[in-house]
Amino acid sequence: MSRPTTPSVSSILSSVLLGVCLLSLPLGLTAAEKPDDHRALEGVTSGKVAWDINMGNARSLSLYLKVIDETYEDLKRQGVEPDMVFTFRGPSLPLISTEHEDVPLDEEEHIEAIASQIKDLLAKPGVRMEACSIAARLFGVERATLLPGIDFVGNTFVSQIGYQNQGYASIPIF
């Protein structure tokens, strides 16, 4: 039978140091400041964007709205005032309606999340939203059923043309 060996002081210290380093690694990563976008935002004071939303998947739209909200906050954090217009068209119209009789049960939570996210986004300065009357007609969405705060416009293609001519970046969400 062999006699147990006692670890040396240096091996104990090495183990402790390794443990401390491994424990501090995640803390250092989470405590690190989010990278900035200084090159892209050099000289930019207003973040003018027209979101062209043409997506009929509730789960995906909810995710994109989260990313758009983070984009808003990233602009603010970097000293740029967001000026955002959401132009909803196509299959996105049923997702911004209060009528959801035909929504599959597994999509209800995402539809509810979209309504909450839209309400929160509209409460922020520099955010407005439009819904296309052509898409509403094609998808059977009544104007009165649009979520509160979303303006009803004639044609969001015309909106996109106008906003781009006013210097807004157009970002498609399909």
Side-chain angles (χ1 to χ4, degrees):
M1 183 182 272
S2 66
R3 190 172 146 193
T5 59
T6 318
S8 69
V9 172
S10 64
S11 69
I12 292 173
L13 282 174
S14 293
S15 296
V16 168
L17 277 173
L18 177 63
V20 168
C21 287
L22 290 175
L23 286 174
S24 66
L25 182 62
L27 294 175
L29 289 177
T30 57
E33 194 171 310
K34 187 173 183 178
D36 67 25
D37 306 288
H38 67 276
R39 284 189 193 115
L41 297 176
E42 189 174 328
V44 176
T45 58
S46 176
K48 295 170 73 168
V49 61
W51 302 99
D52 179 15
I53 302 175
N54 185 25
M55 173 180 287
N57 181 296
R59 173 177 281 194
S60 294
L61 182 55
S62 178
L63 173 63
Y64 272 101
L65 290 173
K66 286 178 188 174
V67 173
I68 291 169
D69 184 56
E70 187 171 338
T71 302
Y72 181 98
E73 296 303 326
D74 284 344
L75 288 169
K76 294 284 288 182
R77 175 177 56 82
Q78 296 176 85
V80 176
E81 282 305 311
D83 183 357
M84 297 183 170
V85 182
F86 293 67
T87 61
F88 292 95
R89 64 182 178 94
S92 69
L93 266 286
L95 302 179
I96 61 167
S97 169
T98 58
E99 286 294 317
H100 300 118
E101 293 172 4
D102 298 330
V103 172
L105 290 176
D106 61 340
E107 285 192 24
E108 282 183 353
E109 70 180 278
H110 303 296
I111 297 285
E112 291 170 8
I114 289 168
S116 176
Q117 290 166 309
I118 285 175
K119 180 181 178 184
D120 292 345
L121 282 163
L122 282 168
K124 295 179 182 237
V127 174
R128 56 196 181 286
M129 299 186 183
E130 301 179 353
C132 181
S133 69
I134 296 170
R137 184 175 71 233
L138 292 171
F139 286 88
V141 175
E142 295 295 323
R143 179 181 189 167
T145 69
L146 290 177
L147 292 171
I150 299 177
D151 295 326
F152 201 60
V153 299
N155 183 335
T156 54
F157 284 163
V158 171
S159 294
Q160 282 289 325
I161 292 167
Y163 290 122
Q164 287 179 48
N165 277 288
Q166 293 175 43
Y168 286 75
S170 179
I171 299 179
I173 306 294
F174 299 147

